[in-house]
């Protein structure tokens, strides 16, 4: 069967300020917010930045291999988590393009690819798992007792619903 | 388990003042007794380590870089006091590494001699950064031989336009055979500002292009075998996760599993190999000399009886017993192998002076037996 195969890349963009030391997620939790850049990044801007990165590093041929199938499927500005879909053959080019990205709209980020999978289901599960780990890290830092209900719980549920709602 | 072996250590503020005041030889001011770091440097280093842990690295090596020559008079190990000031982190291993940048001035000798051994003994890993053809051949041929001064990592200035030397297959192959690895710092791939003391030149788009060209060349010559990736990042914004870096290596022409090994298995075995600097010529087990008695007919027969009790002792004794008498039973050999495994593993943790002497006698012993024993690496000690 000739099926069109994809790769789903789960990326976390860690915002930081250069050249002074980057604010780690720990520091951000302490300051009481997740994300907090003035610029509103959206999936369109990520796509544009990614396109620019692939063209700079792999040329027009690289973009030609990747461009038709590259889509940003999900982006959450609160956690800076992004799911990108690419065709399976040139996915390493797209992955390298993501790694070589350093700024989106003038704001510096560290792109951290958390998970790569061949199906959307695995990508969704990985995204939910990643959110839970991040929240667990914040909670460990804040040292809240186990049964404590905080706003993170509601965030986890809404984000899980958004992720589950993703369609191919 | 991802390993980054090149986290540049900040230069302490007191040392910077020192280097400006003294010039060349002559009356040397005493090296500062205490090395002080500005609190800003400590906090930025803490931040960087936090980020690295977030990106998935579990083993880091702080790197101190020295130009041209290792001078015993004013060399200070800045990493020991630095490590003492860092926060306690569980699940993170920090190692100490020394890099010597070799240029024309160091061709006559740069201080990595046996008399300087105590100076470098406090570092876990040694490495060299040759910038000329002569220093490259020096580094590959002489300094990778097993000794207390082996430099296990050879870093190359990849951001320089047009590598100043040709990478000859023979040189590289000898270095790889002796156990050295060639290091690629992925900071150059992103066009990051390079570590100013590492001699790699400025960052920017030009350096990026050179990095890709030169790194591809290194991968071609080493055929992907002894390649190590590491950071060398000065700005936090240029840090990347280990799997991202492995993917970049794939673009360079490295096969995907070699790219993954470059961040996991190769640095892991390198760290173990670096510990052999404490042993005599990289022999890891502790042999003991046993003189066979003239009266007993079969010393091998008496060995199985005390074997359980001796399982705790250096069991290479059993091996030495079998040396003069080549006839051994199979079960005896298997017990001695397992006992050797148990102790071989323990020997790795202990140091040093006893094994040096024992190594000497082992040489004598094995020469007498006429059998050649190669470098016992950790293969039989491993799990």
């Amino acid at each position: 069967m000739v099926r069109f195969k994809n790769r789903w890349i789960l990326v976390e963009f860690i915002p930081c300020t250069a050249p002074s030391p980057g604010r780690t997620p720990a520091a951000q939790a302490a300051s009481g917010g997740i994300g907090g850049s003035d610029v509103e990044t959206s999936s369109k801007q990520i796509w544009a930045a990614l396109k620019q990165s692939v063209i700079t590093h792999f040329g027009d041929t690289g973009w030609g291999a990747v461009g038709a199938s590259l889509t940003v499927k999900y982006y959450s500005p609160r956690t800076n988590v992004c799911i990108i879909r690419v065709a399976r053959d040139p996915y390493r080019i797209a992955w390298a393009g993501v790694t070589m990205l350093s700024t989106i709209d003038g704001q510096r980020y560290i792109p951290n690819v958390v998970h790569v999978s061949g199906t959307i289901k695995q990508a969704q599960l990985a995204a939910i798992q990643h959110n839970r780990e991040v929240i667990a890290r914040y909670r460990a830092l804040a040292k809240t007792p186990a049964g404590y209900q905080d706003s993170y719980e509601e965030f986890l549920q809404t984000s899980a619903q958004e992720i589950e709602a993703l369609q191919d | 388990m991802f390993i980054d072996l090149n986290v540049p250590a900040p230069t302490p503020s007191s040392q910077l003042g020192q280097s400006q005041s003294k010039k060349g030889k002559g009356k040397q001011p005493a090296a500062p007794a205490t090395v002080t770091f500005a609190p800003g440097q400590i906090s930025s280093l803490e931040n960087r380590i936090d980020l690295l842990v977030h990106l998935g690295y579990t083993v880091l090596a702080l790197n101190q870089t020295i130009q041209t020559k290792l001078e015993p008079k004013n060399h200070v190990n800045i990493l020991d006091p630095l490590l003492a000031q860092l926060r306690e982190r569980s699940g993170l291993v920090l190692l100490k590494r020394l890099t010597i940048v070799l240029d024309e001035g160091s061709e006559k000798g740069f201080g990595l001699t046996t008399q300087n051994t105590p100076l470098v003994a406090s570092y876990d890993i040694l490495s060299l950064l040759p910038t000329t053809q002569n220093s490259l051949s020096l580094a590959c041929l002489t300094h990778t031989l097993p000794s207390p001064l082996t430099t296990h990592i050879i870093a190359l200035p990849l951001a320089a336009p047009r590598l100043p030397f040709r990478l000859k297959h023979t040189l590289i192959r000898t270095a790889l055979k002796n156990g050295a690895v060639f290091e690629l710092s992925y900071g150059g791939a992103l066009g990051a500002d390079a570590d100013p003391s590492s001699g790699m030149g400025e960052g920017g788009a030009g350096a990026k292009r050179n990095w890709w060209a030169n790194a591809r060349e290194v991968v071609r010559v080493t055929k992907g075998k002894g390649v190590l990736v590491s950071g060398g990042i000065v700005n936090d914004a240029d840090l990347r996760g280990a799997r991202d870096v492995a993917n970049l290596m794939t673009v360079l022409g490295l096969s995907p599993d070699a790219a993954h090994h470059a961040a996991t298995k190769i640095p892991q075995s390198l760290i173990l190999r670096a510990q052999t600097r404490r042993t005599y010529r990289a022999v890891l087990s502790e042999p003991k000399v046993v003189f066979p008695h003239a009266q007993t007919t079969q010393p091998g027969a008496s060995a199985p009886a005390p074997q359980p009790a001796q399982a705790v002792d250096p069991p290479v004794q059993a091996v030495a017993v079998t040396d003069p008498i080549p006839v051994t039973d199979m079960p005896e050999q298997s017990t001695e192998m397992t006992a050797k495994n148990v102790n071989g593993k323990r020997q790795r943790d202990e140091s040093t002076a006893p094994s040096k002497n024992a190594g000497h006698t082992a040489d004598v012993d094995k020469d007498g037996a006429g059998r050649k024993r190669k470098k016992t690496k950790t293969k039989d000690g491993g799990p």
Side-chain angles (χ1 to χ4, degrees), chain B residues 91 173 199 211 217 219 236 239 270 282 297 352 360 368 374:
Chain B
R173 240 188 51 199
W211 189 93
E217 178 67 19
V219 164
D236 289 346
L239 287 172
L270 183 84
T297 48
T352 70
H360 255 295
K374 286 204 221 160

Side-chain angles (χ1 to χ4, degrees), chain A residues 12 14 16 18-19 21-22 24-25 57-58 92 95-96 99-102 108-116 137, chain B residues 43-44 47-48 50-51 54-55 189-190 208 212 235-241 243-248 250-251 256:
Chain A
E12 177 196 13
I14 306 174
C16 71
T24 63
H57 294 105
F58 295 95
R92 284 198 183 269
W95 188 352
T99 310
M100 312 258 250
L101 253 186
S102 56
R108 289 210 76 168
Y109 289 96
I110 299 181
N112 178 24
V113 168
V114 176
H115 195 256
V116 176
R137 218 178 278 143
Chain B
S43 63
S44 67
N47 268 339
R48 189 166 314 148
D50 278 333
L51 263 177
H54 179 79
L55 289 173
L190 310 167
K208 211 197 295 191
W212 282 100
N235 290 328
D236 289 346
D238 298 316
L239 287 172
R240 293 291 183 268
R243 290 161 79 225
D244 291 329
V245 171
N247 187 48
L248 282 185
T250 330
V251 176

Side-chain angles (χ1 to χ4, degrees), chain B residues 324-338:
Chain B
I325 299 181
V327 178
T328 43
D329 311 323
M330 276 318 289
E332 186 186 283
Q333 195 141 62
S334 58
T335 42
E336 97 197 6
M337 281 314 284
T338 46

Side-chain angles (χ1 to χ4, degrees), chain B residues 282-310:
Chain B
V283 171
L284 275 178
S285 53
E286 187 182 291
K288 200 162 140 180
V289 179
V290 173
F291 296 100
H293 301 292
Q295 286 133 0
T296 42
T297 48
Q298 273 284 354
S302 59
Q307 193 106 83
Q310 279 179 357

Side-chain angles (χ1 to χ4, degrees), chain B residues 309-332:
Chain B
Q310 279 179 357
V312 194
D313 290 339
V316 192
Q317 179 184 11
V319 178
V321 166
T322 57
D323 267 1
I325 299 181
V327 178
T328 43
D329 311 323
M330 276 318 289
E332 186 186 283

